[in-house]
Amino acid sequence: EVILDPLILFVVQLLRIPKMPSRTPPIMKGLQTLETKDYLFLLVNQGIEAIFVMNWSHMMLFDANVQRSTLNFTISNTIVAFYTIFLLDDFLYYFAHRIMHMPLFYPWCHKHHHRQSMPRRGYFDAANESPLEQVLGLLCVWVSMYVVKQTIGEVHVATGFAFLLVYACMAFLNHTEYDVKFGLLGLGYSVRAHEMHHRFPTCNYAQNTMCWDKMLGTFLEYKGKKVHEG
């Protein structure tokens, strides 16, 4: 993901996407300076990501349930598979995230990431989390792909790599100050939603679409102006 940072930022600036209202001017300071522990976690997490990408690539290239022929694109192994992986991953992460916020686990697993209340560094705020949290998040992705492969029957290799790319880009954007929002097959994505979770930690637990939070009563609309942060 760190390699994608400058490319995504270039596209955001090329499209002249504005900053969110809460950033002009910033309504809170957030984490201003990264410390030694932050850099250590970032280094370890880059290693975890590298291992994950290598295993993901191996699965895409050699798994029997991954279609690799350019002649065998179908609605099922592309659009349906992508949509289902996207939804299932956010569903699994929603509950994993809520568990990480439980008092028993929060200090050991998730508190470090919430030192930043106003993400702005992209990858360097997104991956600034405990290695355990990093593993849990990627495990949700892996399980989602496995379940979809087994239930749909096959996933096209292009779908697998496209999902991983979109997932990485969204993780980066979720930790920037830019007002990026778009619809994805009827599912709305907005950086505003994840900023609200960093400001108000008991809401918006899913990463990329708020459908699960809306269904489960934990969605909170974006507040751009200075309000009591509780």
Side-chain angles (χ1 to χ4, degrees), residues 1 46-60 138 142 161 164:
E1 286 183 32
Q46 284 184 46
I48 293 171
E49 289 170 6
I51 293 170
F52 177 84
V53 170
M54 285 189 291
N55 281 277
W56 185 272
S57 299
H58 185 273
M59 173 173 60
M60 291 297 103
L138 294 176
W142 191 273
F161 283 121
L164 198 60

Side-chain angles (χ1 to χ4, degrees), residues 12 29 74 77 80 90 92 97 108 122 136 142 145 161 181 204 222:
V12 166
K29 286 186 176 181
T74 66
N77 68 24
V80 173
D90 246 20
L92 295 175
H97 197 175
W108 306 101
L136 288 173
W142 191 273
M145 173 57 79
F161 283 121
K181 47 190 173 183
N204 301 1
Y222 177 75

Side-chain angles (χ1 to χ4, degrees), residues 21-194:
S22 54
R23 309 302 183 99
T24 53
I27 61 174
M28 358 176 12
K29 286 186 176 181
L31 182 65
Q32 296 297 298
T33 305
L34 297 181
E35 301 173 357
T36 302
K37 187 177 181 180
D38 300 310
Y39 288 112
L40 178 61
F41 278 3
L42 284 165
L43 181 63
V44 172
N45 287 337
Q46 284 184 46
I48 293 171
E49 289 170 6
I51 293 170
F52 177 84
V53 170
M54 285 189 291
N55 281 277
W56 185 272
S57 299
H58 185 273
M59 173 173 60
M60 291 297 103
L61 296 175
F62 299 106
D63 193 291
N65 288 326
V66 175
Q67 177 58 245
R68 285 171 283 277
S69 172
T70 56
L71 301 177
N72 290 321
F73 284 97
T74 66
I75 296 296
S76 176
N77 68 24
T78 55
I79 295 174
V80 173
F82 186 99
Y83 188 86
T84 308
I85 298 166
F86 185 87
L87 270 177
L88 181 56
D89 172 63
D90 246 20
F91 178 77
L92 295 175
Y93 186 80
Y94 175 91
F95 289 102
H97 197 175
R98 291 203 70 169
I99 290 171
M100 286 190 285
H101 273 274
M102 290 180 176
L104 179 63
F105 303 109
Y106 184 75
W108 306 101
C109 188
H110 197 46
K111 183 177 180 179
H112 182 84
H113 188 63
H114 270 282
R115 291 166 61 241
Q116 177 59 285
S117 56
M118 295 287 278
R120 59 184 176 83
R121 298 183 182 90
Y123 176 82
F124 292 95
D125 278 340
N128 189 11
E129 59 190 6
S130 76
L132 176 58
E133 180 176 353
Q134 177 85 327
V135 170
L136 288 173
L138 294 176
L139 182 61
C140 291
V141 178
W142 191 273
V143 170
S144 299
M145 173 57 79
Y146 178 82
V147 170
V148 171
K149 283 195 294 111
Q150 299 305 314
T151 54
I152 290 181
E154 66 175 20
V155 172
H156 200 278
V157 62
T159 305
F161 283 121
F163 175 79
L164 198 60
L165 178 62
V166 171
Y167 178 87
C169 290
M170 287 181 170
F172 167 86
L173 290 169
N174 270 342
H175 294 85
T176 67
E177 55 194 357
Y178 293 100
D179 200 6
V180 178
K181 47 190 173 183
F182 54 84
L184 181 67
L185 300 174
L187 302 175
Y189 167 83
S190 173
V191 175
R192 294 182 176 200
H194 195 70

